[in-house]
Amino acid sequence: MFAKLAAVSLLTLASSQLMAAECKTTIDSTDQMAFSTKAIEIDKSCKTFTVELTHSGSLPKNVMGHNFVLSKEADMQPIATDGLSAGIDKNYLKEGDARVIAHTKIIGAKETDSVTFDVSKLDAAEKYGFFCSFPGHISMMKGTVTLK
């Protein structure tokens, strides 16, 4: 009887862990100006969400740097345009830009950075996206973020 009870308890524990939302993701960036994903889904049950950005390329950040920037889809291009003059030291983001929900720093080859943000800042009725703000990269390095 005890063995049966222990097995049921273990199965219950295992299934509850499977049901728990994954509140983080890892995105790789490359020397070919590409992210490893074009879409991020965030479970509404997540209080916070973490994005870890990696760079599997071999070029330094001043040549082929990448970052992760989260904003409303409509704000993506204006943020990237406004950030051009900010320079690499400010991650090509205008200082204090309220349109930016979250961002990592610019990273180069074999570097990583991560950002954790409050999911309650996102509205399920709004369209969100992510992109790289390094000059010219937004054309190829962007994707969607949805609450599910």
Side-chain angles (χ1 to χ4, degrees):
M1 179 69 182
F2 177 75
K4 241 185 197 178
L5 195 59
V8 169
S9 295
L10 283 174
L11 282 173
T12 304
L13 180 65
S15 64
S16 67
Q17 286 176 336
L18 290 174
M19 298 295 280
E22 186 67 34
C23 297
K24 63 180 178 161
T25 191
T26 299
I27 300 174
D28 185 46
S29 57
T30 68
D31 288 343
Q32 289 71 43
M33 273 182 24
F35 282 133
S36 60
T37 187
K38 296 274 186 208
I40 297 172
E41 288 187 348
I42 301 173
D43 194 291
K44 289 177 183 167
S45 70
C46 293
K47 300 244 185 290
T48 61
F49 193 83
T50 301
V51 174
E52 180 184 35
L53 180 67
T54 61
H55 192 314
S56 62
S58 59
L59 296 170
K61 70 179 180 181
N62 64 321
V63 176
M64 190 56 68
H66 303 304
N67 64 349
F68 167 90
V69 181
L70 171 65
S71 70
K72 291 179 180 176
E73 275 189 1
D75 292 336
M76 290 167 57
Q77 188 61 58
I79 290 169
T81 301
D82 290 349
L84 290 174
S85 60
I88 196 166
D89 292 339
K90 291 192 168 59
N91 301 301
Y92 293 107
L93 293 169
K94 185 174 79 173
E95 206 162 331
D97 193 332
R99 299 169 298 182
V100 175
I101 297 167
H103 71 88
T104 65
K105 66 183 183 184
I106 296 275
I107 61 171
K110 309 303 179 235
E111 293 181 323
T112 64
D113 193 29
S114 65
V115 62
T116 300
F117 56 91
D118 184 348
V119 175
S120 71
K121 289 182 178 182
L122 305 180
D123 177 354
E126 185 65 59
K127 291 187 177 200
Y128 297 95
F130 67 93
F131 63 98
C132 174
S133 67
F134 195 95
H137 288 197
I138 191 173
S139 64
M140 295 174 64
M141 298 186 76
K142 60 187 171 188
T144 60
V145 177
T146 51
L147 282 174
K148 61 174 185 152

